[in-house]
Amino acid sequence: GQLPVEYMRGKPLCMELYPLLFSSCRIPGPKHDYVAHYGNSRRSPTHITVVRNYQFFQLEVYNSDGSRMTESQIHSQLHRIRSQSWKTDKEPMGILTSEHRHTWGEAYNRLLRDKLNQESVRMIETGLFSLCLDSPVMRISDEKYASRKAAQILHGGGTYSNSGNRWFDKTLQFVVGEDGSWGLLYEQATAEGPPIANLLHHILEYCEKPDPKRAPLVPLPMPKKLYFHIDRDIKRDIEQAKQNLDILINDLDVHVFNFKKFGKELPKEHNMSPNSFIQVAVQLSYYRVHNEVCPACDIASQRMFRGGRTEYIRSPTNQALKFILAFDDLTVSREAKLELLREAVDAYSELTAQALRGHGIDCHLLGLKLQAIEEGRSIPKIFMDTAYGLATHWKLRTGQVPTNTDSVMCFGPLVPDGYAVCYNPQADHVHFAVTAFNCCEDTNAETMARTLKETLCDLQELLQPTV
């Protein structure tokens, strides 16, 4: 409760998400999951879990008198964990958390029948956060390295790589690779991008000027290794989860690039919202690849309201369609195209403002649908309508995570034949991550990324024609 209140567009934002980031975990249930928060209990947890070579350790980060451990103390404890975890012949328990929620829910119950497993799982779930110490990512080419690194943080690279070093239900997982690559993975049931991005910014600022406290000369207890009792059923669950995860990972195509021609300053110079400008560019790129406009959504924060999470902004507008159809038409003048671009960007900015004020429709409709199901009523006809199905089949899921840090954000598509495009606009460049599924013959992350680069260059030419 000591963080200064954040503001957006002059309005204060709800800060309730911050305490929920620590000591929280998603818990699988047979029918549905719930999120458990252990940070506000009378005795808040004082440990983190460290995982290396599929082995989990409980590491206390507070001294017995309640003071925070110093960096050198934590450093020496991490060394001890490293020396205790050379072998990788352990079963990768964490892989179970990558399973379909229903399957994992059943395996979770089997796992917790054993008291030893119960204690170990409880330690992972209650820990402040997890720290995953990964073996290095193979360096192929510099160009592909950024994409490999993003995939590595997202899923660990597969069962023969680092996927066993994750507990995917944990709200916060910091991933540090032996090759110096690092990132943060978060579970979306508990948290949103912006608070996580602020946490990241805080960490990087702290690294610039660390707190050089002297370590007290007390011997530290050995970090506690967490053990699991693995019977035949759990072994079978793990094998099944390994196969399914590798299929999923091989299916996800991740393409990360840094667009360096311009950043958010260019649209600002022309009095356009950078986010709305990029949204229109993404729409145009999709049209150029697929010759159609598709249901697309962007994410708006609802933190102007207490306990607010997110709402969808429906990106396609009639103004955007007019601009898209005119842009590659050689008979339309530059002035007319500019005017249409401005109208499309303004229309999008207006939609954004409405969604931020709580006037979006999607969460509202979803709530009504779920209420009908919960109360055993017949589902209203609109939800069974083909048009509604089409309008919520999000082939383009986009999201801006504006941060003060030069970081890349990445997530997967919402539908099998869709894309996810996440971007972080800085002053003179923009980081993009485009993902798609390989199993769909129509979509291709690399083609989409290449087209997006070309489209942004074409829009720059429209705004600032080179003679």
Side-chain angles (χ1 to χ4, degrees):
Q2 308 197 354
L3 290 178
V5 172
E6 285 161 25
Y7 284 81
M8 181 164 58
R9 302 187 174 198
K11 298 272 198 311
L13 298 182
C14 173
M15 300 294 283
E16 285 181 4
L17 277 177
Y18 282 97
L20 307 181
L21 298 180
F22 301 99
S23 297
S24 62
C25 195
R26 182 171 172 152
I27 311 288
K31 288 213 173 97
H32 45 79
D33 296 357
Y34 66 94
V35 178
H37 301 292
Y38 301 99
N40 46 13
S41 56
R42 214 175 53 231
R43 291 192 56 197
S44 293
T46 53
H47 69 281
I48 65 170
T49 43
V50 181
V51 49
R52 179 170 183 260
N53 285 339
Y54 315 157
Q55 296 157 70
F56 289 82
F57 294 83
Q58 173 190 348
L59 172 59
E60 290 294 332
V61 288
Y62 284 86
N63 295 305
S64 51
D65 63 356
S67 63
R68 225 173 38 211
M69 273 195 186
T70 64
E71 281 147 46
S72 57
Q73 281 179 309
I74 293 173
H75 183 233
S76 63
Q77 291 290 67
L78 289 173
H79 266 294
R80 290 167 114 177
I81 287 174
R82 188 163 170 254
S83 62
Q84 275 194 306
S85 57
W86 283 116
K87 279 206 183 110
T88 46
D89 57 358
K90 296 280 178 277
E91 287 292 340
M93 294 304 296
I95 294 224
L96 288 172
T97 62
S98 70
E99 267 288 27
H100 184 282
R101 300 310 299 175
H102 182 68
T103 314
W104 167 222
E106 290 179 340
Y108 183 80
N109 284 342
R110 280 194 284 278
L111 188 64
L112 293 201
R113 281 185 206 145
D114 182 275
K115 200 161 177 346
L116 180 71
N117 296 345
Q118 233 174 48
E119 284 169 14
S120 296
V121 168
R122 177 86 180 165
M123 275 305 147
I124 296 169
E125 289 172 350
T126 55
L128 291 158
F129 53 82
S130 287
L131 170 62
C132 316
L133 301 177
D134 279 10
S135 50
V137 186
M138 254 174 59
R139 185 135 200 173
I140 336 163
S141 64
D142 282 0
E143 179 201 8
K144 290 238 167 82
Y145 186 62
S147 302
R148 283 291 295 267
K149 223 160 40 163
Q152 172 72 19
I153 304 295
L154 192 61
H155 50 56
T159 54
Y160 292 102
S161 189
N162 291 296
S163 294
N165 280 358
R166 305 282 183 275
W167 193 269
F168 289 106
D169 290 358
K170 195 73 190 139
T171 302
L172 276 185
Q173 300 190 82
F174 293 91
V175 181
V176 181
E178 253 176 71
D179 52 0
S181 61
W182 72 282
L184 187 163
L185 179 67
Y186 77 91
E187 208 291 316
Q188 229 178 335
T190 324
E192 244 75 281
I196 302 278
N198 287 337
L199 174 67
L200 201 60
H201 182 57
H202 169 80
I203 293 167
L204 289 170
E205 277 200 323
Y206 182 89
C207 293
E208 292 295 317
K209 40 175 201 313
D211 180 9
K213 267 212 220 63
R214 291 297 302 273
L217 294 169
V218 273
L220 293 170
M222 200 70 185
K224 187 173 166 223
K225 190 166 181 172
L226 303 179
Y227 290 96
F228 292 93
H229 178 245
I230 295 166
D231 60 20
R232 219 174 45 223
D233 288 347
I234 295 167
K235 178 107 175 90
R236 196 185 57 234
D237 289 336
I238 293 172
E239 288 310 312
Q240 195 62 53
K242 278 185 186 173
Q243 284 174 21
N244 293 341
L245 180 61
D246 283 339
I247 291 168
L248 267 177
I249 286 175
N250 291 331
D251 193 19
L252 183 71
D253 188 14
V254 179
H255 193 88
V256 168
F257 68 95
N258 184 1
F259 181 77
K260 293 180 178 168
K261 288 267 171 66
F262 64 84
K264 58 185 172 191
E265 290 309 317
L266 176 75
K268 275 186 184 170
E269 282 165 23
H270 295 267
N271 290 328
M272 294 181 192
S273 142
N275 186 47
S276 303
F277 178 81
I278 293 173
Q279 281 291 327
V280 173
V282 172
Q283 296 279 322
L284 176 54
S285 306
Y286 186 92
Y287 183 82
R288 284 174 156 184
V289 176
H290 295 283
N291 224 9
E292 62 168 20
V293 173
C294 70
C297 62
D298 184 16
I299 296 165
S301 167
Q302 298 288 276
R303 283 176 59 210
M304 285 186 188
F305 302 92
R306 182 172 178 190
R309 295 292 305 262
T310 54
E311 175 58 287
Y312 282 162
I313 308 169
R314 291 176 163 266
S315 312
T317 59
N318 290 328
Q319 292 88 334
L321 181 62
K322 276 186 191 152
F323 167 68
I324 287 166
L325 294 174
F327 190 70
D328 289 324
D329 185 340
L330 301 175
T331 62
V332 181
S333 70
R334 174 179 172 261
E335 283 67 30
K337 287 178 187 176
L338 252 179
E339 189 48 40
L340 287 169
L341 171 64
R342 199 167 282 289
E343 284 172 13
V345 169
D346 289 349
Y348 191 79
S349 296
E350 178 47 37
L351 274 183
T352 305
Q354 286 178 12
L356 290 173
R357 289 197 299 268
H359 296 170
I361 58 167
D362 285 284
C363 286
H364 188 68
L365 287 168
L366 177 66
L368 292 173
K369 180 183 175 181
L370 292 174
Q371 189 178 352
I373 293 169
E374 200 173 302
E375 293 177 6
R377 299 163 182 249
S378 57
I379 292 176
K381 283 203 185 77
I382 180 172
F383 298 116
M384 306 321 238
D385 194 291
T386 318
Y388 183 79
L390 261 174
T392 49
H393 185 80
W394 307 109
K395 284 190 179 181
L396 202 48
R397 176 200 186 183
T398 63
Q400 168 186 239
V401 181
T403 67
N404 306 337
T405 59
D406 230 349
S407 50
V408 177
M409 308 274 169
C410 169
F411 44 67
L414 289 176
V415 294
D417 54 346
Y419 296 95
V421 181
C422 192
Y423 48 93
N424 174 6
Q426 299 289 315
D428 59 355
H429 61 276
V430 188
H431 289 287
F432 283 98
V434 181
T435 57
F437 292 116
N438 294 321
C439 66
C440 176
E441 285 173 8
D442 298 335
T443 58
N444 184 306
E446 206 166 328
T447 307
M448 183 66 176
R450 192 176 57 244
T451 310
L452 185 52
K453 280 181 214 173
E454 289 162 8
T455 302
L456 288 166
C457 292
D458 292 349
L459 291 176
Q460 182 182 20
E461 181 66 28
L462 178 67
L463 292 176
Q464 301 176 327
T466 47
V467 181

